[in-house]
Amino acid sequence: MLQVKNLSIYHKKDLRPLASNLSFTLNEGDKAAIIGEEGNGKSTLLKLLWDPALVENYIEYEGEIHKNQTVCGYLPQELDPEDRQKTVYEFLCGEPAFLETDYRELASMAGKLGLSADLLYSDARMELLSGGEKIKIQLIRIMSMRPSLFLLDEPSNDIDIDTLKWLEDFINDCSFPVLYISHDETLLEHTANMILHMEQLKRKTESHCTVFRTGYREYVRLRQEGLERQERLSQEEKAALEKQQEKFRRIYEKVEYQQNVISRQNPAGARLLKKKIHSLKSMERRFERQTENMTQRPDTEKAIFFRFAQGEGIPAGKWIIDYELPLLTVGNRELARDIRLQVRGPEKVCIIGKNGVGKTTLLRLISQQLLGRTDIRAAYMPQNYEELLSLDKTPVEYLSQTWDKEENTKIRTYLGSMKYTIQEMDHAIRELSGGQKAKLLLLKMSMEQRNVLILDEPTRNFSPLSGPVIRELLQNFPGAVISVSHDRKYIREVCSRVLELRREGLLPAQLE
């Protein structure tokens, strides 16, 4: 069991609240999903629940956290730099329970995750594994502990579709409580029976946390209905009050006029009018109190607003790429043969495939061929954003080209539409969340009016509430998109063609 009482969390740097008086309890069978926009403190909350020492350098907190000697299994969003340098076997041996687990049980775990049991004893370095393979190895290490509480930070990132389905079954069948962060809306819809929604309001000066014991789809529906009902009541009460106030103003103006006329001719009548004005002023004070008690318009954290700049699209008949690769390798590993990719016009092509098959490597090779072309304007978003971002620059500095006042104003307006605060616009990029870094890359593509986008997992760091915005803008993008993704909603809603990378090449995908 996990019990949290009156937990408040603040950034040390600017005292920005991430949570205020948050209370909830997790019991057996609870599958609680933490959702919220990028940079709202979801990962910080999970780290704090696991080990306060992980966050003591940048947050302060007060409140109570009770785990009652529960054995916790924690999956971080990113591997520690020291762990990246370890071999797979060294990393797994860092958990004593792994060494005490029977080989057959470990082999069964690996098989369910689509891994060879030999990989568990491999001297391959963790940093050389694919993103999905890293997640799977960490899950095996966690499961060997036999935890009674799972804390999972983005377990759905980078894993292939088959493993996503395994993860759904794992969460649903788990008798112990699971608290997890995910941006995969399909996973949330299929697993969550409790929602913890972290919001930042009033330009991120106030935090609001909602705990709702229902599924994700039902939560979104109830939330939207509640917001619409509150908005309607607010408008109705405002209209009724304005009608009352207008009537009051007419009476007040009439009495005030009568007082000015009568006071010179009828002192007794003037005294009566003075009492009447006093009564009207009391009524005015009642209106003020009534205004304070009125239903307020809903104050919520809105999803990002973003559209690609309306530059030139891609003509339907233009060849974007006709790419052939006889052999795809990583190091000494042969991954696939006889690869051919043809893209024509404003197609939206998605490449899927099992973890470790070489999707990211292939996309990087494709980007190298397209980025040098002068007849198209291509841009590349890697899985690791830090390959392209200058971490010591601020977002404004990264996006600036002319450094003039007009451009600076435009950039800050764009960043504001992507829910950056004024302070975040001037923070070093290294201090931003993964989702905020992804937004920067998309903004740069838009400002430079790129018409061919090469995207490695484009939706992986966007919140479930911003996900529909990202899908819509990519769906309406007038150029070509070549992407790798395991996001099932993105694949269904955005992609016009889906290919699966296998050992024998790129083949049309068979999707359910």
Side-chain angles (χ1 to χ4, degrees):
M1 186 183 82
L2 171 68
Q3 188 173 35
V4 174
K5 289 184 179 180
N6 302 320
L7 181 64
S8 295
I9 307 171
Y10 304 89
H11 262 296
K12 284 184 177 180
K13 186 171 182 178
D14 52 17
L15 296 180
R16 178 164 65 90
L18 299 178
S20 299
N21 295 316
L22 172 62
S23 297
F24 66 92
T25 301
L26 290 185
N27 296 304
E28 287 189 8
D30 284 339
K31 283 77 167 147
I34 306 175
I35 65 171
E37 292 298 315
E38 301 78 21
N40 278 10
K42 302 183 297 296
S43 293
T44 297
L45 172 61
L46 218 56
K47 288 177 183 176
L48 175 62
L49 297 177
W50 163 246
D51 180 4
L54 294 177
V55 293
E56 63 184 4
N57 289 335
Y58 66 93
I59 68 143
E60 295 179 348
Y61 75 97
E62 55 189 30
E64 301 176 38
I65 300 171
H66 300 289
K67 290 187 278 191
N68 301 329
Q69 299 182 328
T70 299
V71 177
C72 294
Y74 170 62
L75 175 75
Q77 189 176 122
E78 299 287 345
L79 268 177
D80 183 273
E82 185 178 334
D83 284 334
R84 289 183 208 148
Q85 300 302 316
K86 293 178 180 177
T87 68
V88 173
Y89 185 62
E90 287 172 340
F91 173 74
L92 290 169
C93 289
E95 172 49 56
F98 172 79
L99 296 171
E100 299 169 6
T101 304
D102 183 77
Y103 173 80
R104 287 172 296 182
E105 186 177 348
L106 292 172
S108 176
M109 291 180 194
K112 290 176 181 176
L113 288 168
L115 295 178
S116 164
D118 294 340
L119 181 60
L120 308 187
Y121 302 91
S122 166
D123 59 1
R125 287 209 314 276
M126 290 291 292
E127 67 177 350
L128 297 180
L129 300 182
S130 71
E133 287 172 325
K134 290 189 186 85
I135 294 286
K136 293 174 181 180
I137 292 296
Q138 291 178 83
L139 285 172
I140 288 174
R141 174 169 152 157
I142 291 169
M143 288 189 291
S144 72
M145 298 166 55
R146 294 176 174 78
S148 50
L149 169 65
F150 288 90
L151 304 174
L152 308 177
D153 195 346
E154 293 290 356
S156 54
N157 263 7
D158 304 324
I159 59 177
D160 56 49
I161 292 175
D162 287 343
T163 310
L164 276 170
K165 292 174 182 175
W166 172 88
L167 180 62
E168 289 176 1
D169 292 338
F170 172 78
I171 292 174
N172 285 327
D173 295 341
C174 187
S175 60
F176 301 114
V178 183
L179 179 63
Y180 62 103
I181 300 168
S182 180
H183 295 154
D184 188 309
E185 292 166 69
T186 306
L187 179 80
L188 292 172
E189 290 172 355
H190 290 175
T191 58
N193 59 21
M194 177 176 170
I195 302 296
L196 198 168
H197 187 178
M198 299 180 71
E199 295 183 271
Q200 297 279 294
L201 309 177
K202 297 181 180 177
R203 297 183 182 273
K204 297 192 177 183
T205 60
E206 291 184 11
S207 68
H208 180 70
C209 296
T210 304
V211 179
F212 221 99
R213 287 191 170 273
T214 188
Y216 176 72
R217 192 176 293 170
E218 180 72 358
Y219 170 71
V220 171
R221 184 184 69 79
L222 292 173
R223 179 176 183 266
Q224 186 60 36
E225 287 179 357
L227 294 176
E228 290 172 357
R229 183 166 55 250
Q230 185 178 343
E231 177 75 28
R232 188 169 59 253
L233 282 173
S234 174
Q235 291 177 350
E236 289 173 355
E237 290 178 11
K238 183 180 178 183
L241 181 63
E242 288 176 349
K243 190 174 180 179
Q244 285 181 310
Q245 287 176 326
E246 178 60 30
K247 184 178 180 180
F248 166 81
R249 279 193 294 271
R250 287 200 300 269
I251 295 172
Y252 189 88
E253 288 169 0
K254 182 179 179 180
V255 171
E256 196 173 44
Y257 171 77
Q258 289 175 338
Q259 185 188 35
N260 290 335
V261 173
I262 294 175
S263 60
R264 295 190 296 268
Q265 304 168 357
N266 185 353
R271 284 194 295 273
L272 289 174
L273 287 171
K274 190 174 182 181
K275 288 181 180 180
K276 194 168 185 179
I277 285 180
H278 181 73
S279 175
L280 287 171
K281 286 187 178 294
S282 298
M283 187 182 298
E284 186 176 28
R285 286 191 290 272
R286 285 201 301 275
F287 280 138
E288 290 174 357
R289 290 194 296 271
Q290 188 176 342
T291 302
E292 292 173 1
N293 295 325
M294 282 173 58
T295 301
Q296 299 299 308
R297 294 189 64 184
D299 187 2
T300 62
E301 186 175 36
K302 303 292 190 297
I304 61 173
F305 175 79
F306 179 63
R307 291 288 183 272
F308 276 102
Q310 292 301 308
E312 182 183 351
I314 293 288
K318 182 175 179 60
W319 279 103
I320 304 302
I321 193 169
D322 186 353
Y323 181 76
E324 294 186 62
L325 183 67
L327 188 63
L328 177 65
T329 61
V330 171
N332 296 324
R333 293 169 62 194
E334 179 183 310
L335 302 178
R337 288 178 172 273
D338 302 323
I339 294 171
R340 186 172 189 186
L341 174 66
Q342 294 178 305
V343 179
R344 191 174 185 176
E347 279 195 278
K348 311 292 190 294
V349 177
C350 183
I351 299 171
I352 66 171
K354 294 187 179 297
N355 292 130
V357 76
K359 301 182 298 296
T360 289
T361 302
L362 175 61
L363 201 68
R364 187 176 287 114
L365 292 172
I366 291 168
S367 74
Q368 290 169 3
Q369 185 173 109
L370 293 179
L371 290 173
R373 294 256 299 272
T374 56
D375 60 321
I376 58 174
R377 298 186 302 279
Y380 172 50
M381 174 190 279
Q383 198 174 102
N384 178 10
Y385 307 139
E386 296 181 5
E387 292 178 24
L388 296 182
L389 293 172
S390 304
L391 299 182
D392 292 325
K393 288 185 176 181
T394 68
V396 174
E397 290 169 343
Y398 175 73
L399 295 172
S400 293
Q401 292 181 329
T402 64
W403 300 89
D404 61 35
K405 184 177 180 181
E406 183 179 348
E407 182 195 56
N408 185 281
T409 301
K410 183 189 297 185
I411 288 171
R412 290 181 179 275
T413 301
Y414 288 157
L415 289 170
S417 74
M418 296 290 260
K419 304 305 175 188
Y420 281 82
T421 64
I422 293 174
Q423 292 79 10
E424 288 168 340
M425 295 178 195
D426 296 316
H427 281 180
I429 291 173
R430 69 173 66 256
E431 298 176 21
L432 303 178
S433 70
Q436 290 171 313
K437 292 172 183 173
K439 291 174 184 177
L440 269 186
L441 292 174
L442 286 176
L443 271 176
K444 192 170 184 67
M445 292 175 188
S446 175
M447 292 178 68
E448 294 175 351
Q449 297 192 2
R450 302 296 180 170
N451 58 10
V452 176
L453 307 182
I454 309 142
L455 309 174
D456 197 346
E457 296 283 0
T459 60
R460 68 195 288 264
N461 280 308
F462 288 102
S463 79
L465 299 178
S466 287
V469 179
I470 298 299
R471 294 195 297 273
E472 183 183 1
L473 77 89
L474 290 174
Q475 186 181 40
N476 296 328
F477 178 62
V481 178
I482 304 171
S483 59
V484 166
S485 182
H486 302 125
D487 182 337
R488 288 160 285 182
K489 282 187 179 286
Y490 168 82
I491 292 169
R492 284 196 305 270
E493 296 176 17
V494 176
C495 305
S496 56
R497 188 155 54 101
V498 184
L499 303 171
E500 183 175 0
L501 181 59
R502 304 180 189 171
R503 289 190 64 84
E504 57 268 32
L506 270 177
L507 303 172
Q510 301 297 318
L511 297 176
E512 294 181 4

